[in-house]
Amino acid sequence: MPRRHMARRYLEMDVFADRPGAGNPLVVIPDTDGLDASRMQAIARWTRRPETTFLFPPTVEGASYRVRMFSPEREVPFAGHPSIGTAHAVLELGLAAPVDGLLWQQGETGVLPLAVRGEGPGRTIAVRVPRARVVEVADPGDARIIPILAGAPVGPLPPALMDGGRRWWVAELASEAALRGLQPDWDAVAALAGSTGSMGLCAFARADAGQGHDLAVRALVGAGPRFEDAASGAANATLAAWLRHNDAVPGGRLEYVASQGREVGYDARLHLRIDHDGDVWSGGQVRDIVRGTLDWD
């Protein structure tokens, strides 16, 4: 008997964006009846967005909803921008409401809280990310990293490999101009990712005064397809943990704003917060772009 086609709600949005086109695209599929892992993977491959998420009823007491996340190539256990965009969709669809300002997301890495601040277009959502740990601190002249930086002047903090669910190398450059002008060696990015089981390199620099952000960030992915991420909540959260570890958070504050994506045609703003327990919250605004239906059995 032929399978009945089902019109599923299809939502597309920009995460970490204060206006359309500035942030990291995400697709959310709220209607998941009859979808197994292979069909979800096929949909994610078809959307060709960095991630596509699928909503399910929670199976853990206290969770607001359950989510599965897929890149075009594989299922992803956790990522920042899909968490924030999915929570935004849940709120917009009325599927759950914050309790004491929090939603609770059940995913492959457990149940994580998301803080909801404000209402309307200015609302921000931030996920408390898994705690990151320092795996390795490298010499500033490490031969695995220097080729990626292509001669750009480095900053005072040494490069480090951090593990926050996904592994990222972080490396500081001496100025925002040096970071934005960086032309990375992509073969070296891929070699670093492959040899250390990491996503690649998150390069950052202190922002120039009066820019409206505290850090400029570039996340260079060498695991799988090589690309520069428009806005990575997980990479920025891992970086925030490294800054806190070194008492080097911008301005000594517990909250700051990172700019990411200009070099690849975006202009995302990520809000990072470190609470009094030392946990990192990564978030920002979300803008709806597309609401429609997906005809997929």
Side-chain angles (χ1 to χ4, degrees):
M1 180 177 178
R3 186 179 285 115
R4 181 176 62 86
H5 288 278
M6 179 177 179
R8 306 175 188 274
R9 286 173 292 179
Y10 177 98
L11 309 176
E12 192 162 352
M13 60 202 68
D14 257 355
V15 182
F16 305 126
D18 59 358
R19 62 192 187 280
N24 205 353
L26 175 73
V27 169
V28 179
I29 306 298
D31 305 314
T32 54
D33 287 350
L35 290 180
D36 58 14
S38 64
R39 290 190 178 90
M40 287 186 277
Q41 184 64 75
I43 291 170
R45 186 163 48 247
W46 179 82
T47 68
R48 301 183 69 181
R49 292 309 188 192
E51 274 92 15
T52 299
T53 67
F54 300 84
L55 279 168
F56 298 87
T59 59
V60 174
E61 185 177 357
S64 306
Y65 57 92
R66 182 166 68 95
V67 65
R68 293 181 69 174
M69 306 176 182
F70 289 78
S71 76
E73 293 82 28
R74 64 185 65 88
E75 186 165 7
V76 177
F78 170 79
H81 105 273
S83 297
I84 292 156
T86 301
H88 171 83
V90 166
L91 293 172
E92 291 296 296
L93 294 172
L95 301 178
V99 176
D100 297 328
L102 296 176
L103 290 172
W104 293 88
Q105 173 178 281
Q106 179 188 352
E108 296 300 302
T109 58
V111 179
L112 295 174
L114 292 105
V116 181
R117 291 182 173 181
E119 297 179 353
R123 179 179 64 202
T124 62
I125 301 172
V127 61
R128 190 186 73 192
V129 303
R131 284 212 174 194
R133 63 184 179 88
V134 180
V135 177
E136 179 185 349
V137 178
D139 185 87
D142 192 296
R144 299 168 296 177
I145 296 168
I146 287 298
I148 301 173
L149 303 182
V154 298
L157 288 181
L161 176 60
M162 302 290 293
D163 190 336
R166 286 178 168 181
R167 288 187 170 192
W168 278 96
W169 280 91
V170 293
E172 183 176 11
L173 295 188
S175 68
E176 183 170 358
L179 178 78
R180 297 204 181 277
L182 175 66
Q183 299 294 321
D185 181 329
W186 283 101
D187 288 338
V189 175
L192 177 68
S195 66
T196 59
S198 67
M199 295 297 295
L201 179 70
C202 178
F204 70 99
R206 311 283 165 165
D208 301 329
Q211 297 298 307
H213 54 271
D214 303 292
L215 291 183
V217 174
R218 296 180 66 179
L220 310 174
V221 179
R226 306 172 186 185
F227 69 99
E228 181 165 349
D229 202 325
S232 172
N236 273 276
T238 301
L239 170 57
W242 174 238
L243 294 172
R244 178 185 178 276
H245 178 80
N246 290 279
D247 292 323
V249 178
R253 302 188 304 275
L254 295 179
E255 297 190 42
Y256 66 90
V257 176
S259 165
Q260 187 179 346
R262 289 184 185 176
E263 292 71 28
V264 287
Y266 300 88
D267 192 14
R269 293 289 187 277
L270 296 93
H271 297 247
L272 283 301
R273 176 169 64 92
I274 303 167
D275 66 23
H276 293 290
D277 294 324
D279 287 310
V280 175
W281 298 72
S282 176
Q285 296 172 243
V286 182
R287 293 299 301 265
D288 293 312
I289 305 298
V290 176
R291 286 175 177 254
T293 57
L294 178 71
D295 188 4
W296 201 290
D297 59 22

